[in-house]
Amino acid sequence: MSSIPERSDVEPAYKWDLESIYAGDDDWEDAYADVEDRLADLEAYEGRATEDGETLLAVLQLSDELGREVEQVAAYARMRSDEDTSDQEYQALSSRAQSLASRAESAASFIDPEIQSLDRDELDRMVAETEGLEQYEHYLDDVMRMKEHTRSTEVENLLAELGEVTGASGEIYNLLSNADMAFPTVEKPDGDAVEITQSNFTTLLKNPDREFRREVYEGYFDEWADVRNSVGAAYKNSVKADVKLARARNYDTAREAAMDGPNVPAEVYDNLLETVRDNLDKLHRHAELKRESLGVDELRMWDLYMPMTDSESPDLDYEDAVDHVVEAVGALGDDYQSRVEEGIESRWIDVYETQDKRSGAYSSGTYDTQPFILMNYQDDIASMYTLAHELGHSLHSQLTSEAQPYVYSGYEIFVAEVASTVNEALLTEHLLETVDDPEFRRHVLNEYLERFRSTLYRQTLFADFEHQAHQVVEENGALTPDRLDEIYGDLKREFYEPAVVDDRIEREWMRIPHFYRAYYVYQYSTGISAAVALADGILEEGEPAAERYLEFLERGSREYPLELLETAGVDMSSPEPIQRALDVYDEHLDQMADLV
């Protein structure tokens, strides 16, 4: 019998308030029908969107209105479905909402090409002469910036139609890794049998029994060896698609194409790889500390996920976690802190795991709603960090929505993880300053160091790997499984020099789904670098640094990512924030060394 409660058994205070979006499903149906009816109004502007400034303003305002409504319809349906993934009714609502979003995107697809048909002087004159259009200046600049990489309508339509084909490698990989692959069953130290899965693999590698960890590790990667040719072919063709699509849009490289979308210069990528490589001694020190804490002669690949603690995480109930997080974010000022408190009291958060609830955690909501957070709180330190993380996302969205028009209410992935990680960093410093218990402090430091290692170092290793893989194809080389093993194995040996790097870990590239979204993972590394540097500055400087940071949160996407972060006080075009974050990591290694 399962110990996981039914949703009806959880008190309302611990469940999010989706009725604040729609009082019931009938209201959702009314909103859905309203959007459907209004799509034709937008489509009626096709071919004449830029005939004058007033018409362009009307088109953009109508597109925004529909976007707001579609987001709300989709968010409600998705979150209702996530409450109980076995509920067919809400699955159907979510599917309908996704379809509606696709139709709305298609209905608005003429807008950018028609804007790009203008010359820049003509567009500037239109903005100057039309009251209200100045609000869209940054958006229009972004559209015109991409003009040289936008092909004719005929070619653009063809590329759009080929999207399913060019994305097929990732789809094939996902089906193979999540549906078709079957990993072995192993016997746990207590005698129970457990099947290795994609979801539980790293959890099993935290088991204190070292022989069990070795068995899990070898069984998992041996299964990947059986499909290495299939996965190798999938990734090779994914990289080829990236390269060919970049060339089709007049880019020299796939990296240039990927980074031009958010307008991030290539030097940011190069600075990251170079600065992290110059600081591998800190990661090597972490690995050596882990070896010492485990009391083993050699650190093996099946030891990497083991915590440097002598016990399981101390029990930490939700109310205590909330208190710690609220106190920690006080560094950002009274208004930010009171917003967090009010959000928790206003039922932003769906706190506990229930039967058939979606796993994991996320922050959601729309421009016109309060934020919402899905969690599966487990009474441990990791869950407290997840709470702080998701509240960072939620406050970012709330502050942006209040300060910006809808067109700038989103933000690029490059800055998306900054707010969440700043909260994590502030929480760490608060706990280390206020908690005396050595074992609790050791768990806090371990949580922080592992999050840092697995984000900045691990994701940078991934970024280096995929860049080398794309360069092989761009230089007309053969991207075989052997070549991919070689690239990945060399990087793993460099990054984890004190550990024993065996042949099996060379296949780890095969288990990373993010590689099918080219030049994406580096943003996790730059995000945590910016966040740790910002948090360090806030704790050092106090109110002025906090005010700059809050201004950054309020800017949404009104500027390009590097400009936004400069508002907060970090220059990501230089290696300095990355180095500053790595120095903070080193300081925490000092603290852990004292405890170990």
Side-chain angles (χ1 to χ4, degrees):
M1 188 173 182
S2 174
S3 61
I4 300 173
E6 296 288 343
R7 186 167 185 82
S8 58
D9 296 331
V10 177
E11 294 180 22
Y14 300 105
K15 294 189 284 191
W16 54 19
D17 181 20
L18 297 189
E19 289 80 8
S20 65
I21 307 178
Y22 299 115
D25 295 349
D26 289 343
D27 288 348
W28 182 89
E29 292 286 357
D30 291 342
Y32 181 97
D34 182 63
V35 174
E36 271 196 317
D37 291 342
R38 298 182 69 194
L39 289 181
D41 296 340
L42 183 60
E43 291 169 333
Y45 281 103
E46 185 168 3
R48 60 186 188 89
T50 57
E51 62 184 17
D52 54 49
E54 288 73 18
T55 304
L56 178 57
L57 178 61
V59 169
L60 294 176
Q61 289 176 334
L62 178 56
S63 178
D64 284 353
E65 290 171 15
L66 289 171
R68 290 166 68 168
E69 291 184 43
V70 168
E71 278 188 8
Q72 197 156 303
V73 165
Y76 177 87
R78 183 183 67 253
M79 289 188 285
R80 280 297 189 205
S81 177
D82 288 345
E83 290 177 346
D84 181 355
T85 57
S86 67
D87 189 316
Q88 298 294 310
E89 178 183 347
Y90 283 121
Q91 282 187 30
L93 255 63
S94 184
S95 178
R96 287 171 58 200
Q98 290 174 24
S99 176
L100 182 66
S102 295
R103 286 153 55 198
E105 184 178 354
S106 177
S109 63
F110 67 91
I111 298 175
D112 287 4
E114 290 192 28
I115 293 170
Q116 290 170 340
S117 69
L118 300 171
D119 64 52
R120 191 59 195 248
D121 290 342
E122 188 178 3
L123 179 60
D124 290 343
R125 186 167 56 254
M126 201 176 282
V127 171
E129 293 174 353
T130 308
E131 184 178 354
L133 203 51
E134 72 281 353
Q135 174 176 279
Y136 292 92
E137 275 191 280
H138 176 66
Y139 160 75
L140 294 170
D141 179 73
D142 200 31
V143 172
M144 294 300 283
R145 183 178 65 83
M146 303 301 291
K147 184 173 182 176
E148 66 177 294
H149 300 291
T150 303
R151 303 295 299 273
S152 67
T153 302
E154 183 180 6
V155 173
E156 286 294 335
N157 287 339
L158 177 60
L159 290 173
E161 289 177 6
L162 286 173
E164 286 187 77
V165 178
T166 55
S169 294
E171 183 180 2
I172 291 168
Y173 170 82
N174 285 331
L175 289 171
L176 176 66
S177 60
N178 292 309
D180 293 344
M181 290 184 70
F183 296 95
T185 296
V186 292
E187 185 176 312
K188 296 173 70 175
D190 62 9
D192 290 342
V194 58
E195 181 182 356
I196 303 170
T197 66
Q198 300 282 36
S199 298
N200 71 10
F201 171 61
T202 54
T203 301
L204 295 176
L205 288 184
K206 296 177 184 177
N207 190 290
D209 189 297
R210 197 180 192 210
E211 180 58 27
F212 173 74
R213 297 199 304 270
R214 182 193 63 79
E215 186 179 356
V216 169
Y217 170 84
E218 292 180 354
Y220 179 80
F221 281 110
D222 286 348
E223 184 64 31
W224 282 106
D226 292 340
V227 295
R228 71 190 303 269
N229 291 320
S230 298
V231 176
Y235 187 56
K236 173 190 70 177
N237 284 295
S238 179
V239 172
K240 283 186 173 181
D242 297 335
V243 172
K244 291 183 183 297
L245 286 172
R247 289 172 178 168
R249 295 193 181 279
N250 301 319
Y251 290 103
D252 292 331
T253 66
R255 186 176 74 166
E256 184 186 351
M259 297 184 71
D260 195 35
N263 198 20
V264 176
E267 67 190 39
V268 172
Y269 205 99
D270 294 332
N271 284 338
L272 173 68
L273 299 189
E274 182 178 346
T275 307
V276 169
R277 187 167 266 109
D278 288 343
N279 286 269
L280 288 179
D281 60 308
K282 297 175 177 60
L283 179 61
H284 297 165
R285 182 185 178 204
H286 191 172
E288 184 60 20
L289 271 176
K290 184 160 290 195
R291 184 195 66 77
E292 291 177 9
S293 73
L294 294 175
V296 297
D297 293 333
E298 294 179 325
L299 190 72
R300 305 299 298 252
M301 291 295 101
W302 50 84
D303 298 323
L304 289 183
Y305 289 93
M306 278 296 293
M308 293 186 287
T309 55
D310 295 328
S311 63
E312 293 184 0
S313 172
D315 285 342
L316 187 68
D317 67 38
Y318 177 67
E319 279 72 19
D320 287 340
V322 166
D323 289 343
H324 284 307
V325 172
V326 169
E327 290 171 12
V329 300
L332 297 176
D334 293 341
D335 179 67
Y336 188 99
Q337 187 177 49
S338 64
R339 284 173 180 270
V340 169
E341 290 181 294
E342 186 178 325
I344 293 168
E345 293 170 4
S346 301
R347 294 176 55 196
W348 286 6
I349 307 172
D350 207 72
V351 179
Y352 294 114
E353 181 179 11
T354 54
Q355 289 288 332
D356 296 316
K357 180 179 174 181
R358 174 179 164 156
S359 62
Y362 64 70
S363 173
S364 186
T366 74
Y367 186 74
D368 295 298
T369 73
Q370 67 179 43
F372 295 94
I373 295 173
L374 179 137
M375 287 194 67
N376 286 273
Y377 192 84
Q378 297 295 315
D379 290 334
D380 57 17
I381 287 175
S383 292
M384 175 175 60
Y385 271 85
T386 299
L387 174 64
H389 182 103
E390 299 306 338
L391 281 166
H393 285 308
S394 292
L395 266 293
H396 191 179
S397 295
Q398 185 187 60
L399 289 167
T400 294
S401 294
E402 290 181 6
Q404 300 298 330
Y406 174 75
V407 66
Y408 304 127
S409 61
Y411 33 84
E412 295 284 353
I413 294 296
F414 191 87
V415 300
E417 291 300 325
V418 171
S420 55
T421 313
V422 163
N423 276 12
E424 290 183 26
L426 294 176
L427 177 61
T428 298
E429 299 308 323
H430 166 74
L431 293 169
L432 293 176
E433 286 181 7
T434 59
V435 177
D436 294 326
D437 179 63
E439 191 58 22
F440 191 97
R441 290 170 62 85
R442 192 162 164 173
H443 275 279
V444 168
L445 281 167
N446 182 78
E447 184 71 25
Y448 180 85
L449 291 170
E450 283 302 301
R451 284 173 179 258
F452 195 102
R453 177 190 69 82
S454 62
T455 303
L456 202 151
Y457 280 105
R458 181 175 168 82
Q459 301 297 332
T460 300
L461 186 155
F462 290 168
D464 202 336
F465 168 80
E466 69 170 332
H467 187 44
Q468 290 190 49
H470 281 78
Q471 286 178 317
V472 169
V473 172
E474 286 164 348
E475 294 167 5
N476 299 314
L479 199 62
T480 64
D482 285 346
R483 183 73 180 99
L484 290 164
D485 285 354
E486 179 187 356
I487 294 171
Y488 195 88
D490 287 348
L491 286 167
K492 201 75 175 182
R493 290 181 182 88
E494 182 182 6
F495 274 62
Y496 289 93
E497 186 179 285
V500 177
V501 178
D502 57 79
D503 292 345
R504 285 184 175 89
I505 203 65
E506 292 181 350
R507 305 174 203 139
E508 190 176 31
W509 61 269
M510 298 171 64
R511 67 176 291 255
I512 310 302
H514 281 104
F515 288 154
Y516 294 85
R517 188 173 178 181
Y519 292 100
Y520 178 85
V521 295
Y522 85 95
Q523 297 170 110
Y524 289 116
S525 299
T526 53
I528 193 173
S529 299
V532 172
L534 284 168
D536 193 44
I538 290 164
L539 293 170
E540 275 187 14
E541 189 182 345
E543 186 176 344
E547 288 180 353
R548 289 195 301 271
Y549 172 69
L550 294 174
E551 183 183 352
F552 153 72
L553 297 184
E554 292 173 349
R555 299 298 285 172
S557 58
R558 186 171 276 278
E559 289 98 21
Y560 295 113
L562 264 61
E563 296 170 340
L564 290 166
L565 288 169
E566 199 166 341
T567 298
V570 291
D571 178 9
M572 290 307 296
S573 66
S574 83
E576 192 276 331
I578 303 167
Q579 185 62 57
R580 186 170 186 176
L582 288 161
D583 290 342
V584 172
Y585 169 69
D586 199 36
E587 292 168 8
H588 286 88
L589 285 172
D590 287 340
Q591 294 173 290
M592 180 59 95
D594 291 340
L595 292 172
V596 170

